Amino acid sequence: MSMLSKLRCITVDVTGTLIAYKGQLGDYYCMAAKSVGLPCPDYKRMHEGFKLAYKDMARTYPCFGHAAKMPNIVWWKTCVRDSFVRAGYDYDEETFEKIFRRIYASFGSSAPYSIFPDSQPFLRWVHEQGLKVGIVSNAEYRYQDVILPALSLNKGSEWDFGVFSGIEGIEKPDPRIYELALERAGNIAPEETLHIGDSMRKDYLPAKSVGMHALLLDRFKTPDAKEWSQSGAIVLPDLMAVKDWLTSENSTF
């Protein structure tokens, strides 16, 4: 008996699993600065500045400011300004506003993202098998409302329900986000649900902790994948490999 026959629902992570960033984040920040006539900031400093600023904002105002009732645009404006300051660029208010508007608009569209070619076929195939499909992502509301639809990952045809941290106020690796996903699926039992992601800490371990099955994708040949496998996790290169594995008579967790 294949593993597929034991499942009623599959949940999936988004970034690194269904979609990926095009290029480097610093590219978009630098293009925004150049668009208002400024010299191009240093890419490496910009990238490092963003990592530090994002980490600090996520710690101080988790889930994109959900608990603090901070508007999404305010959260990002604070993060982007701090990114530039940490990189050594402190622009005046008018200049920064122009830069920020371009960055915020870019990341609220499909422009910085690409969809993996197997994502839509896999999700539709799961639907054809009679299973529910859920999205579980540490993302803000624009993923649900704008970005995924713009990438042809539509609610109804590719997925049935979503749990997005910026909307719910819970984020991975908190196991409650997976419990909420099970509830959204119609209170499907965890042992009848599989979660697919690309992070041991945020996807695999918390999903397993609530009783769900889980496996990891290694699309980018990360050095961590060997350790994942050695710890007992099933690690596959892409979603077509997941499909083959799920329909194999020898598949088991």
Side-chain angles (χ1 to χ4, degrees), residues 1-38:
M1 182 183 295
S2 70
M3 191 64 219
L4 183 68
S5 63
K6 302 175 185 177
L7 298 175
R8 294 175 59 204
C9 177
I10 291 179
T11 60
V12 289
D13 168 52
V14 176
T15 308
T17 301
L18 298 178
I19 69 175
Y21 288 109
K22 291 179 186 172
Q24 298 294 322
L25 177 132
D27 297 341
Y28 298 93
Y29 280 50
C30 293
M31 284 190 295
K34 289 171 69 176
S35 73
V36 299
L38 292 169

Side-chain angles (χ1 to χ4, degrees), residues 21 137 157:
Y21 288 109
S137 176
S157 54

Side-chain angles (χ1 to χ4, degrees), residues 14 43 55 63 71 75 80 95 173 191 208 224 235:
V14 176
Y43 277 48
K55 184 177 180 179
C63 301
W75 194 97
V80 171
T95 302
E191 62 269 19
K208 294 280 282 185
D224 295 335
V235 182

Side-chain angles (χ1 to χ4, degrees), residues 3-152:
M3 191 64 219
L4 183 68
S5 63
K6 302 175 185 177
L7 298 175
R8 294 175 59 204
C9 177
I10 291 179
T11 60
V12 289
D13 168 52
V14 176
T15 308
T17 301
L18 298 178
I19 69 175
Y21 288 109
K22 291 179 186 172
Q24 298 294 322
L25 177 132
D27 297 341
Y28 298 93
Y29 280 50
C30 293
M31 284 190 295
K34 289 171 69 176
S35 73
V36 299
L38 292 169
C40 182
D42 182 272
Y43 277 48
K44 185 175 181 181
R45 279 163 45 198
M46 201 67 251
H47 185 68
E48 290 303 313
F50 172 79
K51 284 201 301 184
L52 292 170
Y54 186 92
K55 184 177 180 179
D56 191 47
M57 283 297 289
R59 182 177 59 249
T60 308
Y61 300 104
C63 301
F64 304 96
H66 184 277
K69 294 184 169 51
M70 180 183 287
N72 188 71
I73 193 168
V74 173
W75 194 97
W76 277 112
K77 183 177 285 190
T78 308
C79 184
V80 171
R81 181 186 290 281
D82 191 31
S83 299
F84 278 106
V85 170
R86 287 173 185 262
Y89 305 97
D90 194 0
Y91 302 120
D92 64 76
E93 187 62 35
E94 183 180 354
T95 302
F96 172 74
E97 187 65 33
K98 292 176 183 176
I99 294 171
F100 172 73
R101 279 203 302 266
R102 182 180 177 108
I103 292 170
Y104 191 72
S106 294
F107 283 94
S109 72
S110 62
Y113 310 96
S114 61
I115 180 173
F116 293 112
D118 58 359
S119 295
Q120 189 185 64
F122 176 78
L123 297 179
R124 292 193 170 188
W125 172 79
V126 173
H127 265 155
E128 289 167 3
Q129 310 312 304
L131 278 66
K132 289 189 176 180
V133 176
I135 300 289
V136 182
S137 176
N138 282 356
E140 35 120 331
Y141 77 93
R142 292 184 297 173
Y143 263 52
Q144 172 182 263
D145 297 347
V146 182
I147 296 166
L148 292 180
L151 293 168
S152 299

Side-chain angles (χ1 to χ4, degrees), residues 148-186:
L148 292 180
L151 293 168
S152 299
L153 293 173
N154 298 294
K155 188 174 182 180
S157 54
E158 279 74 41
W159 51 283
D160 301 298
F161 65 92
V163 184
F164 297 88
S165 63
I167 298 173
E168 310 297 345
I170 310 168
E171 62 187 7
K172 300 185 285 185
D174 190 331
R176 291 180 299 163
I177 200 168
Y178 292 96
E179 292 171 345
L180 183 55
L182 293 170
E183 183 182 312
R184 291 272 165 84

